[in-house]
Amino acid sequence: MGAKQAVLLFSLILALGFIPLLVFSAQAIPFERLESLRVVKKVNKNGPFLGLITVYAPEEEAFFKTGVFRPNPRHPFVDLSGRRFRIGKVEGKKVIYVKCGVGLVNAAAATQQMLDLFDIKGIIHFGISGNANSSMQIGDVTIPGQLAQTGLWDWLKPNATMEPNDFAQFDFKSYNDPKGGENQLGKVGYSTEQFYSAAGVNVPQRPVWFNITNNWLHVASHLQGIKLDQCANSTLCLPEKPKLVVGLKGATSNFFIDNAAYTQFLFKTFAVTSLDMESSAVVMTCLSNGYPVIAIRGLSDLAGTQKGDNTIRLFGSLAALNTAKVVIGFVKSLPINHVSRF
């Protein structure tokens, strides 16, 4: 075979090899996503941005009701994986906002997508939550200094030995009525998360608590005393003026908690105030990737310790509005030099 024929044969092999690959690539990435990614590339030229992540419709409505979000006139939003990422400004600072959806998986997925695709300098997560702390009231807002994931369970037999990574125990027989005897539900051991970060490649840490970015927490501490709303409407008001408290603890799990016994157990065991379904996932994802993060939660209900029905339907909108006010205050107070990776 001559040199010319060899070159032609090699070219044919390459063509036959790469054509299926190109066809596969075109089929693998939907046209709509390619268009969205082109928009993302254009948006990032105007970065960096603060990321704002809330959870569901009532929180989103309260945030936009404040009127502080100014959409980008050229690229007001981009749709990715069913979520609408909104591009704009809040108090003069460039932001990208998204509603993640309820639960840990939704929260982690939306956070990772935002960090991977956009030029983000840090994330502010916000929403409403249950309250486990009797010194706090509905309508108050908490910015936790630490968060734990309290939904990673080892569900054990009644007389089983606790697993080595379990850091607390919930024993169902303690809640038997009348007292005494075993309970076939056994007991739950609270396991630690496997936390991956640059601190150890492919070797996860096993922390109980995840810490909010310290300098952001310091900025937030100066917001204590901010004026918050006391009334949900003209006829429904809280007995006391709501307040912002910075530096308490919060717990996250995939449970909506409306049970007095369990809420009291969580407060006694972990000394937590806010009980929600997303915060630790957002915080853990940000810390794993090395980004600043803060979580802001308005207390909408007493997580089952109240008499009668849960109050989230009465005061959820008020708690969401107070949360939005704190978010806006934080964005406004955040110095430019604090909007940086650590």
Side-chain angles (χ1 to χ4, degrees):
M1 181 186 294
K4 187 174 182 180
Q5 289 87 347
V7 170
L8 287 171
L9 180 60
F10 183 67
S11 299
L12 180 62
I13 292 171
L14 286 177
L16 291 173
F18 279 109
I19 286 171
L21 180 61
L22 291 171
V23 171
F24 174 77
S25 298
Q27 291 175 340
I29 303 177
F31 175 77
E32 293 81 3
R33 184 169 180 84
L34 287 173
E35 285 298 303
S36 294
L37 293 175
R38 289 191 186 99
V39 175
V40 168
K41 186 176 181 180
K42 293 177 183 177
V43 167
N44 283 337
K45 290 179 180 178
N46 294 316
F49 300 88
L50 284 171
L52 304 179
I53 300 178
T54 193
V55 181
Y56 78 137
E59 298 158 345
E60 180 173 77
E61 291 165 7
F63 176 68
F64 287 117
K65 186 179 178 181
T66 63
V68 299
F69 182 84
R70 297 285 185 265
N72 184 303
R74 188 172 182 182
H75 300 296
F77 63 84
V78 57
D79 294 334
L80 289 159
S81 307
R83 294 187 177 90
R84 176 155 291 184
F85 292 79
R86 301 178 187 271
I87 300 99
K89 288 185 177 182
V90 171
E91 295 292 349
K93 294 187 175 72
K94 298 174 184 177
V95 302
I96 293 179
Y97 163 93
V98 71
K99 177 179 64 178
C100 67
V102 174
L104 291 163
V105 173
N106 274 326
T111 304
Q112 190 64 60
Q113 191 171 35
M114 181 177 275
L115 296 177
D116 284 344
L117 295 179
F118 294 97
D119 184 5
I120 298 295
K121 287 299 184 180
I123 285 182
I124 302 165
H125 171 58
F126 63 99
I128 61 177
S129 72
N131 174 30
N133 185 345
S134 61
S135 69
M136 301 284 282
Q137 68 161 5
I138 291 170
D140 289 347
V141 178
T142 174
I143 300 180
Q146 293 182 306
L147 285 152
Q149 211 278 63
T150 54
L152 199 60
W153 288 5
D154 291 316
W155 202 321
L156 309 173
K157 295 179 180 180
N159 296 315
T161 302
M162 291 276 287
E163 294 294 321
N165 288 314
D166 291 348
F167 60 95
Q169 175 179 307
F170 179 86
D171 199 332
F172 285 94
K173 71 180 180 183
S174 300
Y175 296 87
N176 285 351
D177 189 12
K179 298 288 186 181
E182 291 292 342
N183 188 310
Q184 291 189 27
L185 288 173
K187 56 189 176 183
V188 166
Y190 290 81
S191 185
T192 51
E193 283 275 14
Q194 293 188 351
F195 176 63
Y196 288 86
S197 72
V201 178
N202 219 33
V203 181
Q205 298 172 299
R206 303 299 297 254
V208 175
W209 298 101
F210 294 91
N211 296 321
I212 297 300
T213 303
N214 190 54
N215 57 350
W216 280 22
L217 204 63
H218 178 72
V219 172
S221 68
H222 295 291
L223 295 174
Q224 293 181 114
I226 187 174
K227 185 177 180 181
L228 302 175
D229 284 10
Q230 190 171 352
C231 297
N233 53 50
S234 59
T235 60
L236 184 62
C237 294
L238 297 166
E240 299 178 22
K241 290 182 179 180
K243 60 185 179 295
L244 167 66
V245 179
V246 178
L248 300 175
K249 293 181 178 180
T252 302
S253 68
N254 268 330
F255 314 132
F256 177 83
I257 299 170
D258 191 29
N259 181 281
Y262 190 58
T263 295
Q264 290 162 359
F265 165 82
L266 289 173
F267 180 73
K268 182 180 179 181
T269 306
F270 304 110
V272 292
T273 295
S274 56
L275 307 176
D276 70 71
M277 301 171 68
E278 298 82 22
S279 292
S280 72
V282 175
V283 170
M284 183 177 173
T285 304
C286 288
L287 297 179
S288 180
N289 287 277
Y291 285 81
V293 63
I294 198 167
I296 301 172
R297 287 282 178 166
L299 306 180
S300 61
D301 60 271
L302 300 178
T305 61
Q306 76 285 343
K307 293 180 180 179
D309 293 337
N310 192 290
T311 58
I312 189 171
R313 292 175 183 84
L314 292 176
F315 292 108
S317 59
L318 176 63
L321 181 58
N322 282 342
T323 304
K325 288 187 172 186
V326 174
V327 170
I328 295 163
F330 179 75
V331 172
K332 185 177 181 179
S333 300
L334 194 61
I336 297 300
N337 63 332
H338 280 223
V339 187
S340 58
R341 299 186 191 182
F342 56 83

